[in-house]
Amino acid sequence: MSSAARQTVERERDAVRARIAELDTSFTAIADSVDTANVDDEHDPEGATLAFERAQVVSLLGEARARLDALDDAMVRIDAGTYGTCEQCGGAIGVERLAARPDARRCIECASVGARPGRSR
Ligand SMILES: [Zn+2]
């Protein structure tokens, strides 16, 4: 596969890494304010807010890390020469889809058939 694909995946990976660094900073900031406030998560309204924010950051971090894994995977497929090939039907995934989702493993047809209603990912 072309070096253009590699560049796209690398750029996306950098963006996700930056996002993870940002979220890590937020997480630390929240953890610090929990420590300094010495709040009780269950009874203090501020503590509940902090707990909620922390849970959100943790969930976003999880998503970002999963995305980073998917992009690492895409890089492996580029090296193996299978990048851009649908793993389900063996057809081409399509340049536009890869531009929008560099980590896509399936073509748009297979992805939409396989997708469950109500789930966007
Ligand atoms: Zn397919």
Side-chain angles (χ1 to χ4, degrees), residues 13-120:
R13 209 154 58 158
D14 283 348
V16 174
R17 283 208 186 99
R19 177 103 181 105
I20 289 173
E22 228 172 72
L23 288 167
D24 266 338
T25 308
S26 307
F27 182 80
T28 308
I30 294 168
D32 282 355
S33 48
V34 170
D35 283 350
T36 46
N38 192 22
V39 288
D40 182 334
D41 277 9
E42 278 178 48
H43 302 108
D44 189 312
E46 192 188 351
T49 306
L50 286 171
F52 175 74
E53 280 176 14
R54 190 165 48 176
Q56 257 189 336
V57 170
V58 167
S59 127
L60 288 171
L61 260 176
E63 279 174 27
R65 292 206 169 108
R67 186 133 175 76
L68 193 59
D69 281 348
L71 289 163
D72 283 343
D73 242 41
M75 210 52 121
V76 170
R77 292 200 301 281
I78 289 172
D79 287 336
T82 58
Y83 183 74
T85 302
C86 174
E87 65 179 14
Q88 199 160 321
C89 70
I93 292 178
V95 177
E96 279 173 31
R97 176 159 165 77
L98 286 174
R101 286 291 308 266
D103 58 330
R105 307 178 69 105
R106 292 185 296 170
C107 69
I108 190 80
E109 286 82 10
C110 291
S112 42
V113 169
R116 287 187 199 158
R119 285 190 58 170
S120 56

